Amino acid sequence: MTVYKNTTNRIVVLDTETTGMPVTDGHRVIEIGCVELEGRRLTGRHFHVYLQPDREVDEGAIAVHGITNEFLVGKPRFKDVADEFFEFIKGAELIIHNAAFDVGFINNEFALLGQSDRSDVNEYCSVLDTLLMARERHPGQRNSLDALCKRYDVDNSGRDLHGALLDAEILADVYLAMTGGQTNLSLAGEGSDNDGTGRQQASPIRRLAAERVRTRVIRADEDELAAHAARLSVIEKSAGAPALWVQMESGES
């Protein structure tokens, strides 16, 4: 198996909903939701579709995502959106929570169409599983998407049921919080609160409007870049491994 190595900074956060599980019992994808990030910012581009699976949705699955058989009547089939979906994810780094589940279903959908060149996501995308990342960082703790939202102060108040697009949007916030180091910009002073013990409360992550006035970006000069590189070298020698952001930039993480 060829594993695709992503050489761009394009990220697609992806989630699916299905008729049930496992895929080996003939279950199918009924919803795909994706949001795109570039340079750690949401671009506003997304892919979202509900699909007619040509089989019944399990009652247990309906209890999780609320997507009924009646709702899916008249929706397109995967073959109708396969090309558009493939073009949206191709070449990106996919961020998925419990990636083995979603990737297995996506591979199966392409395989059912006889598209063997698309039936292994790892050949045209790199995949980062936030569930595995969370288990490494928080061993012995709950690492569901809801648990991570609570841990990283990500607002999931609208998540009464699972939904592929909503979950992809929430996972994007969780991923940025998990990989960004500082997860809030709350400072002591005006508008800051504490929890009654004197400890500062984290501010929830919120999206900024796409049409906002952009903040001026001041690029580092050559001397500053050299000083930064020297500092990273010191960190690497001290830790015995490159800093996480260096690994991510080189594709080693």
Side-chain angles (χ1 to χ4, degrees):
M1 179 185 71
T2 302
V3 177
Y4 178 85
K5 187 177 180 68
N6 184 27
T7 58
T8 73
N9 65 348
R10 182 171 177 266
I11 289 172
V12 170
V13 187
L14 180 149
D15 187 59
T16 65
E17 301 298 341
T18 69
T19 58
M21 59 181 296
V23 66
T24 51
D25 284 353
H27 284 290
R28 303 288 301 276
V29 174
I30 57 174
E31 184 187 10
I32 303 172
C34 304
V35 294
E36 181 188 65
L37 298 95
E38 286 189 350
R40 296 182 60 81
R41 291 182 178 179
L42 287 164
T43 65
R45 293 187 67 225
H46 70 277
F47 178 91
H48 181 228
V49 66
Y50 291 102
L51 298 169
Q52 165 59 251
D54 292 317
R55 61 156 292 157
E56 295 292 300
V57 183
D58 282 1
E59 289 297 327
I62 294 174
V64 171
H65 50 59
I67 303 172
T68 64
N69 295 296
E70 293 75 18
F71 175 79
L72 295 174
V73 172
K75 297 296 188 290
R77 291 172 170 79
F78 184 79
K79 66 179 181 180
D80 301 318
V81 304
D83 290 345
E84 183 183 359
F85 173 57
F86 176 77
E87 291 301 322
F88 191 88
I89 67 172
K90 182 178 67 173
E93 178 177 24
L94 299 183
I95 307 298
I96 309 174
H97 199 68
N98 191 18
F101 176 88
D102 300 88
V103 168
F105 271 92
I106 292 168
N107 287 346
N108 180 64
E109 292 294 336
F110 281 119
L112 290 174
L113 296 181
Q115 298 181 4
S116 58
D117 57 326
R118 299 179 178 180
S119 61
D120 184 356
V121 164
N122 290 290
E123 291 191 352
Y124 50 88
C125 296
S126 59
V127 179
L128 188 151
D129 189 339
T130 49
L131 177 59
L132 297 182
M133 177 188 291
R135 285 173 175 171
E136 290 179 357
R137 296 188 177 190
H138 312 289
Q141 301 183 50
R142 293 182 63 249
N143 290 301
S144 66
L145 185 56
D146 284 334
L148 292 178
C149 286
K150 183 176 181 180
R151 187 171 300 141
Y152 288 98
D153 297 300
V154 171
D155 182 12
N156 66 338
S157 57
R159 191 180 187 247
D160 296 326
L161 292 170
H162 289 224
L165 184 60
L166 175 61
D167 284 2
E169 292 174 341
I170 292 173
L171 181 58
D173 283 344
V174 168
Y175 166 75
L176 292 173
M178 290 179 70
T179 59
Q182 185 177 12
T183 60
N184 78 86
L185 299 177
S186 177
L187 303 175
E190 182 180 354
S192 63
D193 296 311
N194 59 57
D195 58 6
T197 66
R199 294 177 297 184
Q200 188 70 31
Q201 287 186 316
S203 300
I205 293 176
R206 62 186 179 86
R207 292 188 180 87
L208 297 178
E211 63 273 13
R212 71 188 186 280
V213 177
R214 297 291 178 176
T215 303
R216 181 186 176 196
V217 177
I218 301 175
R219 304 292 181 184
D221 60 30
E222 291 186 4
D223 290 340
E224 290 169 329
L225 291 173
H228 178 64
R231 182 60 181 167
L232 291 181
S233 179
V234 171
I235 293 174
E236 181 174 349
K237 290 179 181 178
S238 175
L244 176 61
W245 56 89
V246 175
Q247 297 180 43
M248 293 176 65
E249 189 175 65
S250 63
E252 297 175 4
S253 59

